[in-house]
Amino acid sequence: MRLTLLVLLGIVAVCRGAQGGATFWRSGDGSGLGCHDARAVCAEGPRDDSRQQRTPPVDTRLHVFYNGSIWTADEQVPTASILAVRLGVIQAVGTSLHHVLIDVLQSAQTVNSANAPAAAVSAAAADQEIVLHDLQGRFVMPGFVDAHTHIIPGGLALMRVQLRAVRSRAQWEARVSAAAAALGPGEWVLGGLWDESEWGGQLPSREWLDQVCGGRPAYVTRHDSHLGLANSAALAQAGINSATSDPDGGTIDRDPATGQPTGILRERAMQLVAAHIPEPSVRIRRAALAAAAALALSRGVTSVVDMGRYPFSDEGSSWRDLQEVYLPAMESGELPVRLVANVPLSSWDRLQAWVALRAAQHPRQPSPHHDASGRLFWGGLQEFLDGSLGSHTALLWEPYTDDPSSHGTRMLPDARLRQLLRQAVAAGFRVSLHAIGDRAVDEVAAACEDALAAAAVQGDGPAAVVVPGARFAIEHVQHISGPNTSAALARVARGNGSDEHRQSSQQGSGTHQLQVVTNPLHLLTDRDMLLPRLGPERAAQDRSFPFGALLAAGLRPAMASDWPVVDLQPLTSVYAAIHRCAPPPATAADLNARLPSGQRMEVVGVEYAAADRHHHHHDHQEPQQQAFNSSATAPGGGGAALAAPANLPAGDLAERHVGLDEALRAHTSWAAEAAGLQGLVGRLAVGLRADFIELDLSPAAMLPAGSTPRGGSGMWQGGRLPAVLRTWLDGALVYDQQQQAAPRQMFRLYQVM
């Protein structure tokens, strides 16, 4: 054993001479020492192009990554320079190659000593194959955990007509016309992601589609997915006309002069048309998963929480995606990312029966809520309480400033919500609840507290846990009624304020009962509408996108994309969380100059800041913007009926900003907690999976030298965005910037499948 370590230490100098690759060495066999490319050693193995399908051999070698600037997100060991990985699991983290190798080999000996003679263990250690990877000083951090995505819709969006950043009706019609011309007989024109503010605020109508679709049905959604546009052919197929009543939780927009539908459908009214759209085939949805995963890995996202297609598709769509797409991909070893699947809250009893059946069929699985590979997880439920600010459907206590007749849309009655939450908690499942408006957030927090209290009284809580971690995640938490809301969320997170209940319910998980999942990139796309929709008091930063207020209350907010509502850009999201504004155009240009041409991106928010419409509206927008900036640091902000607690003065909350370390944790370790994956990923620590990324710059580059980040000012004009160079999942290289084609260009499949 001692001789083995001495030989290992002797080759360090050789390893440091290898540039950009890895050194492979079998201890005890000097002939094995040689330099090999890291991609071939770690990701591909020996190539055999004559075989189309084969199961790769298990890689039992020890992979040691050294000479890096590693941020671990682990409070015990926050930084390191060396990472040792075997069988996809982190074996050691440190700053000394000598100590790391000793720790790993001694740990292996200790683990095996109970079952094997010491001589046998030493012999095994002496025969250990080691691959040394020189990180060349690059910044390394945990892979991003995106705690809120819609994977199949995102993948499908990559294959359909793209209307994001369209800035005129003519450009809209040109894109739709080109998409329609490429379709076969009977196929629908689908896609969207449009934002009417790009061309001045006028909502499109069915005539925009009728003129360019050649009579075929067409349906395109707004970028927030809470509003859709159908043409006349699609409305006819759905049987929607002037006599059609609005469904519960939805609205059919009508021409005030004629009473005829304009084509705009809001919230659950979207299902009236969605029910008639041909279901994408299993093949297409599997291609969508591949496209989505390729994009995610290229952006450094290694774990995703999938919120599915419901409620904008039928309730069974999430179940079909789980059973027809995700499970087969997992079982064949072809699930490219770590994925947490959610199904509708109303189907909690179906999920309970399905989990029990899976457990009976697979008794050797380590857990009833995921497979043995640790790639696919289930046991999560999701539901929508309200809509979005952009569609005027977020549920508010006070009316919209620009539409005094509207308070938003309630998508689920409070009594029904409370009933379902009690049932889901008793069954041991985690529930994710969409709440954007201030009233929606308050009502969801109260309903969660009610469900936890009922579980504690009935004794159903701790013993019934199927999914680890927090019982609830409130998704978005975009607007709050004041500091009392943050305090209420923190109280629920602590487990009803009872130490005894909190300790028993967590069962050593180290997480809260409730976590909030926020979306910094939504701030960039919604920023211009905050004042017109809400007025200066509700638009202030302690009430809209209140990241600092949530932190001040003691919460650990996860930060997620909500892709494809916005593009999947975690590093832009980190920037937005810190600065509360989009990167300057020069920063976006600098990033794209460092990316291969096929991988360049439209940095979220930059198109809004640079759009021609800002020149057009500058004169009348500036006074409102000044009011917004002033209110962002002013005391106050509590709702009239809701008093701020003494220990959380509103002025302090208004001053709170998000630091770089907090923003990074919100996208990694805190996001893993929200996903229930905190025991697996989110940190680079011994025993966790080796999911990590290499960046070309430290994230500290996002902070201009000598500057202190302040929220709400909108005055940041410096800093750089890092780019993802490589992504590693389970210790295997799954993305290399220099080797991969552009994800967006790889999957133009919809028309040919």
Side-chain angles (χ1 to χ4, degrees):
M1 183 71 158
R2 182 179 178 184
L3 177 62
T4 299
L5 292 174
L6 290 174
V7 174
L8 286 173
L9 295 174
I11 67 171
V12 173
V14 177
C15 300
R16 287 177 177 166
Q19 297 296 316
T23 299
F24 168 74
W25 182 76
R26 179 193 297 272
S27 60
D29 179 7
S31 63
L33 179 61
C35 292
H36 298 266
D37 182 76
R39 292 176 293 278
V41 170
C42 301
E44 297 177 351
R47 291 188 177 181
D48 183 0
D49 295 333
S50 65
R51 301 178 64 181
Q52 294 297 318
Q53 293 182 350
R54 66 181 180 89
T55 302
V58 176
D59 185 357
T60 61
R61 297 171 295 182
L62 179 67
H63 293 262
V64 179
F65 299 83
Y66 72 101
N67 190 24
S69 177
I70 303 174
W71 179 79
T72 68
D74 183 52
E75 294 180 0
Q76 302 301 316
V77 185
T79 60
S81 59
I82 301 170
L83 200 66
V85 178
R86 186 172 182 271
L87 295 173
V89 177
I90 298 172
Q91 305 295 313
V93 180
T95 57
S96 164
L97 183 59
H98 174 91
H99 291 144
V100 164
L101 292 174
I102 289 176
D103 289 347
V104 171
L105 294 179
Q106 287 183 342
S107 175
Q109 183 173 359
T110 301
V111 168
N112 289 282
S113 61
N115 301 315
V121 175
S122 296
D127 196 43
Q128 173 70 66
E129 297 182 17
I130 300 176
V131 183
L132 294 172
H133 304 259
D134 187 356
L135 294 169
Q136 302 180 35
R138 288 188 290 272
F139 188 92
V140 173
M141 62 175 288
F144 291 114
V145 179
D146 196 321
H148 189 117
T149 66
H150 302 270
I151 290 298
I152 299 300
L156 292 173
L158 296 175
M159 307 173 189
R160 295 172 172 175
V161 60
Q162 296 275 345
L163 298 175
R164 200 190 298 276
V166 165
R167 297 196 172 97
S168 68
R169 177 173 177 175
Q171 189 179 8
W172 161 296
E173 292 179 344
R175 290 195 186 182
V176 173
S177 177
L183 297 175
E187 291 187 287
W188 287 52
V189 176
L190 300 170
L193 305 178
W194 48 270
D195 180 354
E196 71 279 2
S197 66
E198 291 284 356
W199 56 79
Q202 177 191 6
L203 283 174
S205 67
R206 56 180 173 156
E207 288 79 15
W208 289 35
L209 296 173
D210 288 346
Q211 296 183 18
V212 293
C213 289
R216 67 172 67 248
Y219 179 69
V220 292
T221 57
R222 192 179 186 272
H223 75 93
D224 62 3
S225 298
H226 290 268
L227 188 153
L229 175 68
N231 71 348
S232 297
L235 293 172
Q237 284 204 25
I240 299 175
N241 53 45
S242 59
T244 305
S245 300
D246 289 345
D248 291 339
T251 304
I252 302 170
D253 281 18
R254 306 169 197 275
D255 187 316
T258 66
Q260 293 295 324
T262 65
I264 293 290
L265 307 170
R266 302 174 190 265
E267 304 302 343
R268 296 199 189 275
M270 299 167 70
Q271 292 182 3
L272 300 178
V273 167
H276 294 269
I277 298 173
E279 171 77 352
S281 69
V282 172
R283 186 182 180 191
I284 287 176
R285 283 182 284 131
R286 290 179 180 175
L289 170 62
L295 180 63
L297 295 172
S298 75
R299 304 286 171 81
V301 177
T302 52
S303 299
V304 296
V305 178
D306 176 45
M307 295 298 173
R309 293 184 280 159
Y310 174 81
F312 308 113
S313 183
D314 65 285
E315 185 172 318
S317 62
S318 297
W319 279 100
R320 291 193 298 275
D321 292 340
L322 171 60
Q323 295 175 324
E324 298 173 357
V325 180
Y326 302 150
L327 276 171
M330 176 270 293
E331 290 167 350
S332 64
E334 297 175 347
L335 186 57
V337 294
R338 221 175 292 286
L339 189 147
V340 179
N342 284 268
V343 294
L345 174 59
S346 58
S347 64
W348 70 267
D349 51 349
R350 178 180 176 182
L351 180 61
Q352 186 179 42
W354 187 79
V355 167
L357 178 62
R358 288 279 309 181
Q361 292 175 337
H362 305 274
R364 295 186 178 181
Q365 281 193 172
S367 168
H369 82 283
H370 66 81
D371 74 291
S373 72
R375 287 291 178 95
L376 181 62
F377 299 77
W378 48 82
L381 300 160
Q382 62 92 15
E383 188 53 84
F384 282 66
L385 189 71
D386 69 341
S388 73
L389 187 72
S391 299
H392 284 90
T393 52
L395 187 63
L396 305 175
W397 285 109
E398 300 295 331
Y400 281 85
T401 300
D402 58 351
D403 185 2
S405 66
S406 174
H407 288 74
T409 301
R410 182 191 304 280
M411 297 180 66
L412 190 68
D414 186 66
R416 176 61 173 159
L417 173 65
R418 291 179 179 240
Q419 176 192 28
L420 288 171
L421 291 186
R422 289 189 176 202
Q423 293 169 328
V425 168
F429 297 127
R430 180 180 60 253
V431 185
S432 297
L433 297 158
H434 170 113
I436 285 184
D438 54 10
R439 182 166 187 169
V441 173
D442 286 340
E443 292 188 359
V444 164
C448 292
E449 192 166 29
D450 170 75
L452 288 174
V457 170
Q458 297 169 9
D460 292 333
V465 172
V466 173
V467 178
R471 289 300 188 89
F472 302 107
I474 303 187
E475 309 292 329
H476 310 303
V477 194
Q478 190 164 304
H479 308 284
I480 62 174
S481 54
N484 59 314
T485 299
S486 302
L489 292 170
R491 183 178 66 248
V492 180
R494 290 191 296 268
N496 258 2
S498 165
D499 289 339
E500 179 180 356
H501 178 69
R502 177 165 68 254
Q503 293 171 3
S504 63
S505 63
Q506 289 181 358
Q507 292 188 319
S509 67
T511 63
H512 291 164
Q513 286 290 302
L514 175 146
Q515 306 216 245
V516 295
V517 180
T518 60
N519 310 101
L521 293 180
H522 284 195
L523 172 60
L524 305 188
T525 59
D526 285 11
R527 185 179 177 94
D528 283 352
M529 70 177 72
L530 293 179
L531 280 166
R533 296 246 194 307
L534 301 174
E537 183 178 1
R538 290 184 294 178
Q541 75 175 51
D542 59 329
R543 294 190 57 183
S544 286
F545 299 93
F547 310 138
L550 299 173
L551 285 166
L555 292 161
R556 298 191 293 259
M559 293 183 173
S561 68
D562 200 10
W563 184 67
V565 173
V566 293
D567 197 14
L568 193 62
Q569 297 180 18
L571 286 161
T572 311
S573 184
V574 170
Y575 188 103
I578 298 168
H579 301 325
R580 295 186 67 87
C581 69
T587 298
D590 170 71
L591 170 65
N592 282 316
R594 304 195 317 273
L595 293 173
S597 60
Q599 299 179 43
R600 292 168 187 165
M601 66 183 79
E602 291 185 0
V603 177
V604 175
V606 174
E607 66 271 22
Y608 292 83
D612 291 340
R613 64 185 176 84
H614 277 257
H615 298 287
H616 177 71
H617 294 293
H618 178 76
D619 291 339
H620 71 271
Q621 288 284 351
E622 188 167 1
Q624 287 188 325
Q625 186 62 54
Q626 291 174 350
F628 174 73
N629 292 337
S630 175
S631 68
T633 56
L642 302 168
N647 64 330
L648 286 175
D652 288 350
L653 296 183
E655 294 295 326
R656 184 69 162 89
H657 65 264
V658 179
L660 175 61
D661 188 77
E662 291 167 330
L664 291 174
R665 291 182 189 278
H667 289 83
T668 53
S669 58
W670 296 349
E673 291 178 13
L677 301 179
Q678 68 278 2
L680 198 72
V681 297
R683 296 174 293 124
L684 300 180
V686 174
L688 273 61
R689 296 297 181 95
D691 295 1
F692 59 93
I693 59 176
E694 300 174 42
L695 304 179
D696 67 344
L697 299 172
S698 165
M702 288 187 276
L703 301 177
S707 299
T708 301
R710 301 286 297 176
S713 69
M715 297 302 293
W716 287 94
Q717 295 298 319
R720 302 179 72 190
L721 283 174
V724 176
L725 296 177
R726 290 177 177 173
T727 301
W728 302 79
L729 181 64
D730 281 329
L733 185 65
V734 291
Y735 169 78
D736 187 325
Q737 182 192 96
Q738 299 303 318
Q739 299 296 320
Q740 298 291 328
R744 291 183 183 275
Q745 295 177 354
M746 291 170 64
F747 299 99
R748 303 298 297 179
L749 304 176
Y750 184 68
Q751 290 86 357
V752 299
M753 287 188 142

